Amino acid sequence: MTTVHNTTPQYPFTAVVGMDDLRLALLLNAVSPAVGGVLVRGEKGTAKSTAVRALSALMPAVDVVGGCRFACAPAAPDPGCPDGPHEPGAVEHRPTRMVELPVGASEDRLVGALDIERALSEGVKAFEPGLLADAHRGILYVDEVNLLHDHLVDLLLDAAAMGASYVEREGVSVRHAARFLLVGTMNPEEGELRPQLLDRFGLTVEVAASREPEQRVEVVRRRLAYDADPAGFAARWAAEEEALRGRIGAARELLASVVLGDAALRQIAATCAAFEVDGMRADIVMARTATALAAWAGRTDVEEEDVRQAALLALPHRRRRNPFDAPGLDEDKLDRTLEEFGGADEGADGEDDPEPDGPDDGPDGGGPGGAPPREGGPQESPQPPGTELPHQQEREAPQAPEAAEAPEKSEPEPRPQAGAAGERPAVGATEPFRTRRLDVPGLGEGADGRRSRARTAHGRTTGARRPRGALGKLHLAATVQAAAPHQHARGRRGSGLVVRRDDLREAVREGREGNLVLFVVDASGSMAARKRMSAVKGAVLSLLLDAYQRRDKIGMVTFRGAGADLALPPTSSVEAGAARLEQLPTGGRTPLSEGLLRAHEVLRVERMRDASRRPLLVVVTDGRATGGPDPVARAARAARLLAAEGTASVVVDCEAGPVRLGLAGELARELQGTAVTLDELRADSVSALVRTVQGNRTDHANRKAA
C-alpha cells in the first residue's frame, strides 16, 4: 500500500526522542504548508521515516467533495477536475493523507494511467488516478528520495512547479490539480539529489544518532514499549499528541496575522546575498519559514531569532556549488550579517519588551525561535555530542587546507605509516574540470542515465513492438496500421476504429543509460611526485563529477605496495568517492596486475547483482608494472582477461617528463580500450580529439585486419 491506511497506531510524534531540528522543520510545514516541505538527510537507523510518518496524525483534517478522486475542496473545486464539474452536495471530512512514493514506481503509478484501447475505440478518457492525485492537499513522502529514477524526478519537478499533473498519451491528455507537501528522507552515503529537486525542498535537516548513552537508552526503551503494545503506547501519549495538534491549529489561525517587517526582510535578503544562493526561492522560503516560526511561538511579529533559525533550515542545501561540498552554514558569518542589517522598522509601532535579550519561550514551553517543546527525561539535551549539524561543523572547515598543506614543508622526510615502507602522506587534488564524455559501445538496457546509448522508456522513438506486459508508450501509427486490415472482418460501422488488444503496439525508444564506472587508480611510488599526484587526483575528481552528472554508479580500486584494495565498493555516492580519493596516500611498488585482477573480481560480482548495468573501466596509471615475478607479462594477461569479457575501458595516461615510454598505450591495447592523456581528458582542450571507446575498438579491429 502506498497510501497510509494502517490499523496499527503510528508511533507518536511527541514520543520521538531528541531530533529537535527535524521535529521543528516538520511542525513548521504543518503550520504553513507553503514553506515547501522538508528534506531529511542522515545516516541509516536514525528514525527519519518514523518521525515523518508520525506527522500525518497531527495534520488538520480536510474537507473534500464527496466522491471526487482528486480531493477537490468544496469551497473552490478545480474547474478542470476529471471528475467534474462538481455540483453542490455531500462534503467528506477526512484526515490528511500521507502518500508514499516507492523509488521503483512506474510513471503510470505516479501520474496515473489512460486506457488507450478505450480512448481509440470509444473516444472515452478512461483515467486511473496515480499517486500525485492521491497526494493532492496532503503529504507526498519519498523514502530514499536520492535513489528516485530521473524520469520520476522530472515529473515531480513539473508537478511541484505548476501545481498540476498532466498525463498525455498520443494526443489524449488529462490534467488535474496536484499541490502537496513534499517530504523526503535520504542517506547521503547512497548518493546526492539532483540540484533542481534539492532546491524544491523548502527546508533541510541533518540528523544523526545521539552519542549520549542515556538518550540512546531512552530511545530503545520507548521503541520496545511501542513494539510490545502499540495501542497502549499510543494511548499513553494521546494527551501530548492532542496538545500539539491544538497548538498547530492555533498557529495556523495566527499565521495570517503575523507581520513580516521591513527590517526582517532586509535581514533575509542580506543573508541570502551573503551566502550567494542561486535564484530568489531561498528568500521566499526564508520569509515563509520566519513567519511560521513567529506563529508557532504565538507572536504576531517576526524577530531576528526567527530569521536566524529560518536561515539555518532553508539555506544549507542551497549554497552547494558541486556534489562534493558538504551542506551547512558558517554561523559566525550568519550572526555578523544579521547584526549588520538588523534594526527596528522605521515607523513601526514598537512596544517595550520586558526581556529584550532573553529567549522567546513561546507558549507551552517552546524554545528559541519557536522550537518544539521537549519532553522531560534524559532526551532534553539540546544537542548531544556527535550530532552537530553541518553548519556547526563548518566552523572547523577552514583548517582543512592547512592540514592538507602541512606535508609540503616536510616532504623531504615523509611520515611513514605502519606496514607501509616509503609511503607518502595524501596530497590534495587540483581543481576539477569538465571532461569529455566516455561511452560504453553498443546499445544497453540499463537504468536511465546520461552516458551510453540504451533502450529506455524515454528518448527518441526508433521502432515499435508488441507490448511486453502492461502497455507503455503507445506507437499510434503502428497500432492503426495493425488494426486497419481487420476493420471489415470486425464489422466496423461508422467512424470509430475497432481496436483489439493484439493490435496495440508500444514505441521502442532510444535514450541514454547510467553505467558502473570503476576507477582503478595507481597509487604507487612512480606516481608519488607531489604535483603529479595532485593533477591525477584532480582528473579522477573531474571524472567523479562527470559520473554524478551522468547518473552512474562508481567504485574505486587502488593499487600500490604488494597488492590492491577496494577503496570504495560500487555506490551512487560520488561524495564518498571524493573523500576516499582525498585520503589516498602513495608509495611502494606498482602491482598493476593485482589492480586489474581486483577490478575483474569487482565487476564479476556486480554483474551478478545487476546484469543490465554495463561497466566502464577507467585505469589511471603511467603504465609501469613492478613487483613479483614477470610483472609486465602478468599485467598483460590480466588486461586480456578483462578484454575477453567485453569490458569497455579507458586508460588515463599519467606519464610525465620529456622521455615517455608509452606503457599506458600498450596497456590500453591489451584492454582493447582507448588511451587519453590528462590534457586530452579535458573537454575544452584544443589539442584533444573526440575519443570514445567505440572509436578505439574500431581502430583496434582495423589494426588486426591489417
Side-chain angles (χ1 to χ4, degrees), residues 454-635:
R455 294 188 183 91
T456 61
H458 305 83
R460 63 185 181 90
T461 301
T462 59
R465 67 185 179 191
R466 292 180 182 274
R468 300 174 180 176
L471 177 67
K473 300 286 186 179
L474 178 75
H475 195 296
L476 182 58
T479 299
V480 172
Q481 187 176 11
H486 308 291
Q487 297 305 296
H488 180 72
R490 293 172 182 174
R492 173 185 170 184
R493 299 290 185 271
S495 59
L497 187 68
V498 182
V499 180
R500 300 286 186 260
R501 175 70 184 176
D502 289 343
D503 301 329
L504 297 179
R505 298 293 184 271
E506 65 180 4
V508 177
R509 296 173 180 260
E510 182 179 314
R512 292 199 173 269
E513 66 179 0
N515 299 108
L516 167 60
V517 181
L518 181 62
F519 295 92
V520 181
V521 182
D522 185 348
S524 64
S526 65
M527 306 282 288
R530 187 173 187 81
K531 291 183 179 179
R532 185 179 180 191
M533 196 60 197
S534 292
V536 168
K537 286 188 175 182
V540 178
L541 198 65
S542 303
L543 289 166
L544 284 171
L545 182 58
D546 181 69
Y548 164 76
Q549 294 169 342
R550 300 192 187 283
R551 305 293 176 261
D552 296 318
K553 287 183 69 174
I554 61 164
M556 188 181 299
V557 172
T558 62
F559 60 94
R560 61 187 174 88
D565 297 314
L566 180 58
L568 180 69
T571 176
S572 297
S573 176
V574 295
E575 190 175 356
R580 299 290 197 282
L581 182 69
E582 194 68 25
Q583 300 164 5
L584 179 64
T586 57
R589 292 184 177 274
T590 312
L592 177 57
S593 60
E594 302 302 323
L596 297 176
L597 290 173
R598 187 62 186 272
H600 177 269
E601 177 63 18
V602 172
L603 295 179
R604 184 187 67 82
V605 173
E606 287 302 308
R607 196 175 294 114
M608 290 189 294
R609 290 176 176 170
D610 186 0
S612 64
R613 187 178 288 270
R614 298 185 295 162
L616 174 63
L617 186 69
V618 179
V619 185
V620 185
T621 180
D622 57 8
R624 288 181 172 85
T626 61
D630 204 0
V632 176
R634 291 187 72 235

Side-chain angles (χ1 to χ4, degrees), residues 13-27:
F13 188 87
T14 50
V16 174
V17 178
M19 297 198 296
D20 294 337
D21 285 341
L22 171 57
R23 293 192 295 143
L24 175 60
L26 292 172
L27 290 171

Side-chain angles (χ1 to χ4, degrees), residues 219 278 284 288 374 402 528 546:
V219 171
D278 296 330
I284 296 171
R288 290 171 174 168
R374 301 190 183 102
E402 298 176 10
D546 181 69

Side-chain angles (χ1 to χ4, degrees), residues 24 75 96 301:
L24 175 60
T96 297
D301 59 315

Side-chain angles (χ1 to χ4, degrees), residues 694-706:
Q694 179 65 62
N696 189 80
R697 282 178 173 252
T698 302
D699 294 343
H700 180 80
N702 291 339
R703 284 194 300 270
K704 295 203 77 170

Side-chain angles (χ1 to χ4, degrees), residues 305-459:
E305 182 59 29
D306 299 325
V307 177
R308 186 181 192 278
Q309 184 66 58
L312 294 177
L313 292 172
L315 297 188
H317 61 301
R318 290 189 165 89
R319 57 177 300 274
R320 304 180 71 188
R321 289 295 177 263
N322 65 63
F324 309 134
D325 293 338
L329 289 183
D330 182 343
E331 291 195 50
D332 291 336
K333 180 178 179 179
L334 174 60
D335 291 336
R336 289 194 302 270
T337 303
L338 293 176
E339 182 178 356
E340 179 181 355
F341 290 89
D345 291 345
E346 295 181 4
D349 296 331
E351 296 183 3
D352 293 337
D353 189 344
E355 295 181 0
D357 297 325
D360 185 351
D361 290 338
D364 301 328
R374 301 190 183 102
E375 301 82 13
Q379 73 279 8
E380 285 197 23
S381 173
Q383 190 65 52
T387 62
E388 292 84 0
L389 296 177
H391 59 256
Q392 296 167 328
Q393 298 169 348
E394 188 169 323
R395 298 179 180 180
E396 302 178 3
Q399 300 176 7
E402 298 176 10
E405 292 299 326
E408 186 74 51
K409 301 177 181 179
S410 57
E411 190 170 349
E413 296 180 12
R415 297 191 298 270
Q417 298 181 7
E423 182 179 288
R424 292 175 180 266
V427 299
T430 58
E431 284 296 316
F433 52 84
R434 190 165 63 92
T435 67
R436 292 188 177 277
R437 187 177 69 201
L438 303 170
D439 298 342
V440 176
L443 194 63
E445 294 186 349
D448 285 352
R450 300 179 181 177
R451 184 173 296 280
S452 305
R453 293 175 55 230
R455 294 188 183 91
T456 61
H458 305 83

Side-chain angles (χ1 to χ4, degrees), residues 208-255:
S210 172
R211 301 299 184 259
E212 277 194 358
E214 289 301 319
Q215 193 172 60
R216 297 174 74 97
V217 166
E218 186 63 21
V219 171
V220 175
R221 181 183 293 121
R222 293 187 186 184
R223 186 69 212 191
L224 293 178
Y226 171 77
D227 291 342
D229 183 9
F233 185 83
R236 289 195 293 275
W237 290 89
E240 287 83 353
E241 291 281 288
E242 187 59 35
L244 190 56
R245 192 177 297 109
R247 184 177 173 186
I248 291 172
R252 279 195 167 197
E253 293 181 3
L254 185 62
L255 187 65

